[in-house]
Amino acid sequence: MSGDTHVSERIKSCRENLRISQVLLAELAGINPTQLYRYESGKAKPRPEAAEKIAAALGVSTAWLVHGALPVARGTQIDPPVPAGRGLILKFLELPPALAFAVKRLAMQNGSTIEIELLDLVHQGLEAMHKNALVNAESAGKSEK
């Protein structure tokens, strides 16, 4: 995807890369599905608030979604990373749909990526397991005395 495409094409292309429906994208972004259809078909241009929500749901920057390129340094521009990675990590982990949806929502609410949220959840889980192991080891030590 290059900088000369329209916002409607970028929305549709990202959504298709993620292999999600317009209805699901609209739900993730918190916008009306009919309005998303109008954005994708080029019949309407998203307002800044809607563009931010759609970009967050797709895992791309608002600047890239709206303008087609990301400024890097003094006139240099790059395309964003392939957004399909988001869908791939959820597919790889084979999360139940309800959990995958919850992680997507959490990422959107925190303004982060699915990968970061998953790593944070794993970290929290490992910390809890470590604490439980310490408690069990202490209990076992007291039982032996």
Side-chain angles (χ1 to χ4, degrees):
M1 282 181 266
S2 65
D4 62 349
T5 59
H6 296 284
V7 65
S8 60
E9 294 167 351
R10 287 188 291 278
I11 293 171
K12 183 176 182 180
S13 179
C14 286
R15 181 183 58 76
E16 289 175 345
N17 281 341
L18 292 170
R19 294 183 176 91
I20 60 175
S21 68
Q22 284 182 338
V23 172
L24 179 56
L25 176 56
E27 186 175 325
L28 290 172
I31 62 173
N32 186 304
T34 304
Q35 193 62 33
L36 179 66
Y37 167 78
R38 296 185 73 226
Y39 298 150
E40 273 197 18
S41 64
K43 294 180 179 180
K45 185 175 179 183
R47 292 183 180 193
E49 312 83 52
E52 286 177 18
K53 291 177 179 181
I54 294 168
L58 292 171
V60 299
S61 75
T62 305
W64 178 81
L65 188 68
V66 174
H67 304 292
L70 298 173
V72 176
R74 298 183 189 216
T76 309
Q77 295 180 339
I78 60 168
D79 284 340
V82 178
R86 242 172 53 148
L88 291 177
I89 195 165
L90 291 176
K91 199 176 235 184
F92 173 75
L93 293 175
E94 296 181 1
L95 295 176
L99 181 57
F101 182 77
V103 171
K104 286 179 186 178
R105 279 261 187 225
L106 187 60
M108 285 178 48
Q109 289 171 350
N110 293 336
S112 114
T113 65
I114 287 178
E115 290 84 359
I116 296 296
E117 291 302 326
L118 285 172
L119 288 173
D120 188 44
L121 291 171
V122 167
H123 179 71
Q124 290 174 23
L126 291 173
E127 282 182 344
M129 288 172 52
H130 181 68
K131 285 179 184 176
N132 285 340
L134 289 175
V135 168
N136 289 339
E138 286 177 9
S139 296
K142 289 179 182 177
S143 297
E144 290 177 6
K145 291 182 180 180

